[in-house]
Amino acid sequence: MADFASAIRGFMAKHAPSREEVQNSRWLKPFGHRIRGSDLWRFTRRSVPRGVAIGLFVGIFLMVPGLQIVGAALVCMALRGNVAIAAAMTFLSNPATTPFFLIAAVDVGNRMGFHADLTTLQVLSNTHASVWRWLAWLLSDAAPAMVTGLAVIAAIFAFAGYWMSLVGWRWWIGRKWIQRRYADREGVSASEIS
């Protein structure tokens, strides 16, 4: 289990932006002292699940790589979520997963009563259509279906991520308390147990 935790820490250190990088972002400079608040960067039982939910929602719904982290940080300021966790969660939507999210969003939007023709999407993809043809398709009938579908999918992922991280947080803290009790009874340090 310690290997998994160290793998998560390594992934976060490598891929998530540092506190200084987020604070020095030109988009977040106007929020200066508010984004620097230490409560937005602490890992607590309330801020971590909020950060997970915010990062998943913004990451899936916004789908613009540069603005996802900025959007997640701004929403974290309002909802008191952990900015680092939210920034890391936006990476769920990456170039490998984006096509799946977009196709699922159009399908969900169609099921909710909107109309976006998926056969046109396949034709555009197979013929390597120009950007202008893609934009014309998107603006004609796919936009309402896609936006609605992305909002629904993002909300579902955010809800699931919130509850999974809340349960995971409680499990992790409970495990640490058990290790402390065992260490106190046995007279060994907690670091020797892990």
Side-chain angles (χ1 to χ4, degrees):
M1 194 63 177
D3 293 334
F4 179 70
S6 64
I8 295 293
R9 279 190 215 106
F11 177 81
M12 291 283 290
K14 184 176 180 182
H15 295 292
S18 69
R19 181 177 183 171
E20 291 77 25
E21 288 174 340
V22 172
Q23 290 172 350
N24 293 330
S25 165
R26 67 182 173 129
W27 296 98
L28 294 174
K29 284 257 189 203
F31 302 99
H33 69 282
R34 293 189 67 205
I35 196 70
R36 288 185 175 91
S38 64
D39 57 329
L40 297 177
W41 297 92
R42 278 191 225 131
F43 294 91
T44 65
R45 67 184 170 99
R46 290 189 179 111
S47 70
V48 169
R50 287 179 192 163
V52 168
I54 291 166
L56 288 173
F57 185 84
V58 171
I60 293 171
F61 185 72
L62 196 50
M63 289 277 176
V64 179
L67 296 178
Q68 288 173 326
I69 294 173
V70 172
L74 291 175
V75 175
C76 280
M77 283 175 32
L79 299 178
R80 312 312 287 164
N82 186 292
V83 174
I85 295 290
M89 289 293 110
T90 62
F91 290 113
L92 178 68
S93 65
N94 55 49
T97 61
T98 297
F100 299 111
F101 280 125
L102 293 178
I103 290 171
V106 170
D107 186 48
V108 169
N110 283 344
R111 291 176 190 263
M112 295 187 74
F114 295 98
H115 177 68
D117 189 13
L118 291 177
T119 57
T120 306
L121 176 69
Q122 292 172 345
V123 169
L124 289 172
S125 177
N126 292 337
T127 61
H128 303 291
S130 67
V131 173
W132 297 112
R133 286 186 58 201
W134 278 100
L135 286 175
W137 174 76
L138 181 65
L139 295 175
S140 64
D141 59 357
M146 190 174 303
V147 169
T148 304
L150 281 174
V152 168
I153 291 171
I156 290 170
F157 269 79
F159 183 78
Y162 178 86
W163 287 106
M164 287 174 58
S165 63
L166 188 65
V167 169
W169 181 268
R170 289 180 186 261
W171 173 82
W172 183 53
I173 295 298
R175 191 172 141 259
K176 287 176 75 172
W177 275 105
I178 289 171
Q179 287 177 347
R180 284 182 189 160
R181 275 195 225 137
Y182 176 76
D184 288 344
R185 264 192 267 138
E186 299 297 321
V188 295
S189 69
S191 62
E192 293 175 17
I193 295 172
S194 297

